């Protein structure tokens, strides 16, 4: 009914909140607030919670791979849905409140009836964990997204897959549906928007195309691929990084021999004063979603040289963020070769020390900025006479305590009078 919200938590509770307009003292303005009204306690951590559009049922996905259905008004248990082999990460209920869809880390999507809790169909939906399921309003069509980076549309009545939407490089995390549009977000830090067209869609043709792609990918003539989503931008980023590292390596070798070499040409073009600035500029110019793939394409000798330069970047406040991110991705991509080389133990210890100092400094800076912004917010609220947001639960609880205290005093006075 759009009068509140629910939250699910690892503390094994589902909490119900109501929206409330609270008047600001000494002003005519009101501010939107949340008031905690009820709490449903369960036996396991809750990963996801959904309320049916009719407002009568509450579905809670638990860590024990089940979904518990409760009546919304009394929190009385209704039915339990079990069948997934791994925890359920997302659920959604159709607009007529007759079907519920569950998506799990076991890569399956199950369609259930809300009348008896029977499983209508189990679909192998994605090649990795299912991260989000959403029904299209007024229909039994629903969309799913997965860590394989795909968005798929399904028919919950015929159990057919309608279309597969590709666009994300990496994992796809969330979906939002509205009108003729579907929006998705993912690991590549992008929001992809898909628009419904009037072009006719033939399911048999879609199935044949996907079957042909699967045969090509599994056949003997299938091209070998790196375990990554290599793109033109990631290849370009790797080329620029290799060029930067090679030129810096030549410069350092010349300095060791006392030849007083010239600075790399690109440093003069970019108006940079030190090799560290040149490396940081090159790393920051690579798009965030392509950095990991660019590091995969690096030869290992470039990786070794890059790691020797990271402590200097970590020590500088302006470059510690990109250096820390590069370090984590390097250890993720080249973990085996790096850790098996005993000559790099001292280097790794130095990097660890520099990284911890840089992260501590960066965390303190973020904390100071955060509290500074909070102070500015309070000053603006005092000056303008408005509140940006106010939590009323504490005040509501205090009012309830005062009310109960007055009732106790009245009862005590009545007893003494007798």
């Amino acid at each position: 009914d759009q009068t509140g919200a629910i939250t699910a938590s690892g503390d094994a509770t589902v909490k119900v909140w109501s929206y409330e307009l609270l008047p600001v003292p000494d002003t005519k303005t009101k501010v939107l607030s949340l008031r905690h009204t009820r709490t449903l306690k369960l036996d396991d951590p809750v990963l996801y919670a959904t309320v049916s559009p009719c407002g009568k049922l509450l579905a809670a996905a638990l860590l024990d791979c089940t979904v518990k259905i409760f009546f919304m008004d009394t929190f009385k248990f209704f039915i339990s849905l079990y069948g997934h082999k791994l925890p359920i990460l997302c659920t959604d209920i159709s607009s007529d409140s007759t079907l519920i869809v569950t998506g799990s880390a076991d890569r399956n999507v199950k369609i259930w009836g809300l009348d008896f809790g029977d499983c209508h169909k189990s679909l192998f939906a994605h090649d990795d964990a299912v991260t989000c399921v959403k029904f299209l309003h007024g229909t039994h069509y629903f969309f799913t997204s997965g860590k394989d980076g795909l968005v798929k549309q399904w028919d919950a009545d015929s159990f057919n897959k309608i279309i597969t939407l590709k666009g994300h490089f990496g994992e796809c995390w969330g979906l939002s549906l509205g009108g003729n549009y579907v929006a998705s977000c993912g690991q590549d830090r992008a929001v992809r928007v898909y628009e419904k067209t009037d072009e006719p869609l033939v399911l048999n043709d879609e199935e044949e195309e996907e079957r042909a792609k699967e045969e090509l990918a599994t056949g003997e003539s299938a091209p070998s691929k790196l375990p990554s989503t290599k793109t033109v931008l990631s290849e370009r980023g790797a080329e620029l990084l290799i060029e930067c590292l090679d030129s810096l390596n030549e410069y350092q070798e010349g300095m060791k021999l006392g030849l007083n070499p010239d600075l790399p040409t690109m440093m003069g073009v970019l108006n940079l004063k030190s090799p560290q600035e040149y490396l940081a500029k090159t790393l920051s110019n690579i798009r965030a979603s392509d950095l990991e793939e660019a590091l995969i394409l690096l030869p290992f000798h470039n990786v070794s040289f890059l790691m020797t330069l990271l402590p200097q970047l970590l020590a500088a406040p302006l470059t510690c963020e990109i250096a820390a991110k590069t370090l984590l991705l390097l250890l993720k991509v080249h973990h085996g070769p790096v850790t098996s080389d005993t000559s790099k133990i001292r280097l790794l210890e130095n990097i660890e020390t520099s990284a911890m100092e840089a992260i501590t400094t960066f965390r303190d800076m973020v904390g100071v900025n955060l509290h500074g912004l909070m102070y500015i917010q309070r000053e603006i609220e005092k000056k303008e006479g408005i509140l940006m947001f106010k939590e009323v639960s504490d005040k509501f609880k205090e009012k309830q305590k005062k009310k109960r205290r007055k009732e106790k005093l009245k009862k005590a006075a009545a007893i003494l009078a007798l």
Side-chain angles (χ1 to χ4, degrees):
D1 56 0
Q2 297 183 353
T3 60
I6 61 169
T7 56
S9 172
D11 61 2
T13 62
V14 175
K15 295 189 177 183
V16 182
W17 308 78
S18 65
Y19 299 134
E20 183 172 315
L21 285 174
L22 184 68
V24 181
D26 302 328
T27 64
K28 296 182 179 181
T29 60
K30 293 184 178 181
V31 64
L32 180 63
S33 308
L34 283 175
R35 181 167 63 86
H36 176 220
T37 56
R38 293 188 296 162
T39 299
L40 171 62
K41 296 183 178 180
L42 298 160
D43 297 329
D44 293 281
V46 187
L47 303 180
Y48 203 91
T50 310
V51 177
S52 62
C54 65
K56 296 180 179 180
L57 300 175
L58 168 66
L62 307 183
L63 191 61
D64 63 356
C65 309
T66 65
V67 175
K68 307 291 185 185
I69 310 292
F70 300 87
F71 290 103
M72 189 63 186
D73 52 354
T74 62
F75 282 163
K76 184 179 179 181
F77 177 74
F78 177 38
I79 51 176
S80 179
L81 311 178
Y82 57 90
H84 284 286
K85 297 178 181 179
L86 290 175
I88 298 167
L89 305 179
C90 49
T91 62
D92 197 28
I93 300 175
S94 61
S95 55
D96 58 2
S97 300
T98 60
L99 297 177
I100 180 172
V101 173
T102 57
S104 169
D106 61 8
R107 302 178 292 178
N108 291 319
V109 167
K110 293 184 183 292
I111 305 169
W112 314 77
L114 276 176
D115 45 2
F116 302 108
D118 54 323
C119 181
H120 293 182
K121 188 70 174 179
S122 181
L123 304 170
F124 184 79
H126 292 269
D127 294 331
D128 208 333
V130 182
T131 56
C132 187
V133 292
K134 290 288 183 183
F135 268 104
L136 193 60
H137 183 74
T139 71
H140 282 177
Y141 297 132
F142 66 93
F143 286 84
T144 64
S145 65
K147 288 187 176 181
D148 57 359
L150 301 179
V151 176
K152 299 183 180 182
Q153 184 183 9
W154 307 80
D155 188 343
D157 294 326
S158 64
F159 315 127
N160 290 325
K161 180 175 65 176
I162 298 175
I163 194 171
T164 299
L165 305 175
K166 301 177 182 179
H168 285 283
F169 298 104
E171 300 174 1
C172 182
W173 291 338
L175 293 172
S176 180
L177 311 183
N180 293 328
Y181 296 93
V182 177
S184 63
C185 63
Q187 187 181 18
D188 55 1
R189 300 186 181 184
V191 175
R192 312 282 178 179
V193 180
Y194 308 92
E195 182 180 6
K196 182 181 178 181
T197 64
D198 296 330
E199 181 182 354
L201 184 67
V202 182
L203 296 184
N204 291 334
D205 293 346
E206 290 288 323
E207 293 176 358
E208 288 179 3
E209 288 181 7
E210 292 192 4
R211 193 179 301 113
K213 291 179 181 178
E214 290 177 0
E215 290 176 356
L216 176 61
T218 57
E220 296 180 357
S221 59
S224 59
K225 295 183 179 180
L226 285 171
S228 64
T229 52
K230 184 171 65 174
T231 63
V232 176
L233 292 178
S234 64
E235 290 182 348
R236 178 58 180 162
E239 291 175 359
L240 293 175
L241 188 54
I242 291 172
E243 179 184 352
C244 171
L245 293 173
D246 289 341
S247 60
L248 291 180
N249 192 18
E250 292 178 4
Y251 175 74
Q252 287 194 1
E253 290 294 334
M255 291 294 291
K256 290 179 181 179
L257 296 175
L259 301 177
N260 195 18
D262 295 331
L263 291 173
T265 307
M266 287 302 298
M267 288 184 59
V269 175
L270 298 174
N271 196 22
L272 301 174
K273 298 179 181 180
S274 66
Q276 291 76 23
E277 291 183 4
Y278 180 29
L279 177 58
K281 183 69 173 178
T282 304
L283 289 172
S284 60
N285 283 341
I286 302 175
R287 197 172 64 174
S289 58
D290 295 322
L291 182 58
E292 182 175 355
E293 283 71 33
L295 294 176
I296 290 176
L297 299 175
L298 279 185
F300 188 67
H301 70 275
N302 287 123
V303 173
S304 301
F305 180 64
L306 176 57
M307 292 188 66
T308 62
L309 301 176
L310 287 179
Q312 301 174 16
L313 295 184
L314 289 169
L318 297 179
T319 59
C320 65
E321 182 179 1
I322 187 65
K325 183 176 181 180
T326 304
L327 173 62
L328 292 176
L329 291 177
L330 277 178
L331 293 178
K332 175 184 175 182
V333 173
H334 302 281
H335 180 269
V338 170
T339 55
S340 61
D341 189 354
T342 56
S343 64
K344 290 186 173 58
I345 294 177
R346 182 62 61 84
L347 174 62
L348 291 175
E349 291 176 350
N350 293 336
I351 290 176
E352 180 185 7
T353 303
S354 301
M356 292 306 298
E357 292 177 355
I359 291 173
T360 302
T361 304
F362 199 73
R363 181 185 59 191
D364 293 342
M365 181 179 65
V366 171
V368 171
N369 292 339
L370 174 62
H371 286 278
L373 291 173
M374 292 170 63
Y375 172 76
I376 294 173
Q377 175 184 339
R378 290 194 297 269
E379 291 297 316
I380 293 175
E381 291 172 354
K382 291 179 182 179
K383 182 178 180 181
E384 301 293 336
I386 60 172
L387 295 179
M388 297 180 181
F389 186 81
K390 188 172 183 180
E391 176 61 67
V392 298
S393 294
D394 294 337
K395 290 189 175 182
F396 179 77
K397 290 179 181 178
E398 188 65 27
K399 289 180 181 178
Q400 293 294 102
K401 287 181 181 179
K402 290 182 179 179
K403 185 177 180 181
R404 288 193 294 267
R405 196 179 298 118
K406 288 181 180 179
E407 291 177 353
K408 288 182 180 179
L409 292 174
K410 288 181 180 179
K411 289 181 181 179
I415 292 173
L416 291 175
L418 293 174

